[in-house]
Amino acid sequence: MGAFGHSARAIAVALAAFLAAGAARAADRPHGGAPQSDTARPASDWRFQATFYGWLTAIDGDVGVRNRPMTPVDASLSDVLENLDGAVMGSFLAENGQWLFLGDLVLARLSHDGQIGPHGGGSLDAELSQTIATGAIGHWLPLGASDLDLGITAGLRYVRISADVALSPAGSPLVGSASQTEQWIDPTVGLVLQWAIDDRWFLNAVADIGGFGVGSKLSSNGYVGLGYRWTPSLSTAIGYRYLYEDYEAAGIGTGSFRYDTVMHGPTFSLGWHF
């Protein structure tokens, strides 16, 4: 593989790994104790939860930047962790009767540097930053079950990716640099399932679909997790999550940005209830 092939793949892996490290919503959201039946829900009883979470992801798909061809990406968990400088992930949940309100914010930064080319004569330095902000409103459906809740949600997800890349080809004193920022907003619709196994253990599942050509062409998200309530105020959960994104933005004179990948891996979360 030539210098161009190595640089394109390195940029793609760095970008994909960075995206994989960030975009996760909180999944640890049990009620206090066993869920109430729909008829027993108070008409006005605010409950809140702040959650910190992490998502260890692998990624499979294709990435294209500017006029570069689409590059296959197969990044393992170790690839992602190696390139990640740091990330802050958190969410907030508010419930009042049959209504729920969700907010989520992800801020992350990644840097990648190394030798490229068949003999390692060139160098690549890349810095990437990411912001994902999500807001949604939902409604619990009247199932009439004391240990099972099912809700529908609708919302918006804002994504912003900024990349700065400096490339020095092998055998050349010249350094080429480029910057690109992409941002989009996706409408989303989904389902939330919550099952209280007993007064301590719970199972949560989340699924949504979005984009519809408004922002991305299509995105879908799925999660299932098992959690434990340690105290009335503290719970933890572990699970597995995937996120599919198919986004393309045409550029004027610079080519398009293309991102068509599936991210998947284990999750862990810590929830504070009040």
Side-chain angles (χ1 to χ4, degrees), residues 11 20 33 49 68 81 117 133 141 172 177 200 207 210 219 229 258 260 267 272:
I11 295 171
Q49 178 179 330
R68 305 298 189 262
L81 293 176
L141 299 176
S172 173
S177 61
R200 292 286 185 176
S219 67
R229 191 74 173 248
R258 291 137 292 157
D260 185 1
T267 66
W272 175 41

Side-chain angles (χ1 to χ4, degrees), residues 36-271:
Q36 300 172 335
S37 67
D38 299 290
T39 57
R41 285 183 182 273
S44 180
D45 181 17
W46 284 103
R47 290 174 294 180
F48 305 96
Q49 178 179 330
T51 302
F52 300 94
Y53 60 89
W55 184 21
L56 301 178
T57 65
I59 185 167
D60 301 287
D62 299 283
V63 175
V65 179
R66 292 186 178 271
N67 292 315
R68 305 298 189 262
M70 291 287 281
T71 303
V73 176
D74 182 12
S76 65
L77 296 179
S78 60
D79 293 329
V80 174
L81 293 176
E82 181 181 356
N83 288 282
L84 183 66
D85 288 337
V88 176
M89 309 176 193
S91 70
F92 187 78
L93 166 70
E95 292 183 86
N96 190 334
Q98 297 295 112
W99 295 96
L100 60 146
F101 305 88
L102 298 167
D104 187 270
L105 179 65
V106 172
L107 301 173
R109 183 180 179 86
L110 173 139
S111 63
H112 176 85
D113 62 83
Q115 301 301 112
I116 60 172
H119 305 293
S123 64
L124 170 72
D125 294 304
E127 293 184 359
L128 303 122
S129 60
Q130 178 193 43
T131 299
I132 297 179
T134 304
I137 184 172
H139 189 269
W140 296 111
L141 299 176
L143 300 180
S146 62
D147 60 351
L148 186 66
D149 283 325
L150 178 65
I152 56 175
T153 63
L156 297 173
R157 179 162 53 241
Y158 168 76
V159 181
R160 184 181 187 275
I161 302 167
S162 180
D164 297 295
V165 179
L167 174 64
S168 178
S172 173
L174 302 178
V175 177
S177 61
S179 298
Q180 188 166 8
T181 297
E182 295 295 338
Q183 55 186 340
W184 64 92
I185 297 177
D186 280 335
T188 63
V189 293
L191 294 172
V192 178
L193 176 70
Q194 179 179 295
W195 174 33
I197 301 172
D198 55 29
D199 60 348
R200 292 286 185 176
W201 292 95
F202 58 90
L203 181 72
N204 288 336
V206 177
D208 67 49
I209 188 169
F212 312 117
V214 177
S216 64
K217 293 181 179 179
L218 182 67
S219 67
S220 64
N221 166 72
Y223 166 86
V224 61
L226 179 66
Y228 187 80
R229 191 74 173 248
W230 299 94
T231 71
S233 300
L234 185 67
S235 65
T236 56
I238 58 173
Y240 200 88
R241 179 187 178 91
Y242 90 92
L243 176 65
Y244 171 71
E245 290 283 347
D246 184 2
Y247 174 78
E248 181 174 351
I252 300 176
T254 61
S256 64
F257 173 84
R258 291 137 292 157
Y259 183 74
D260 185 1
T261 64
V262 175
M263 299 176 285
H264 54 95
T267 66
F268 57 92
S269 62
L270 173 66

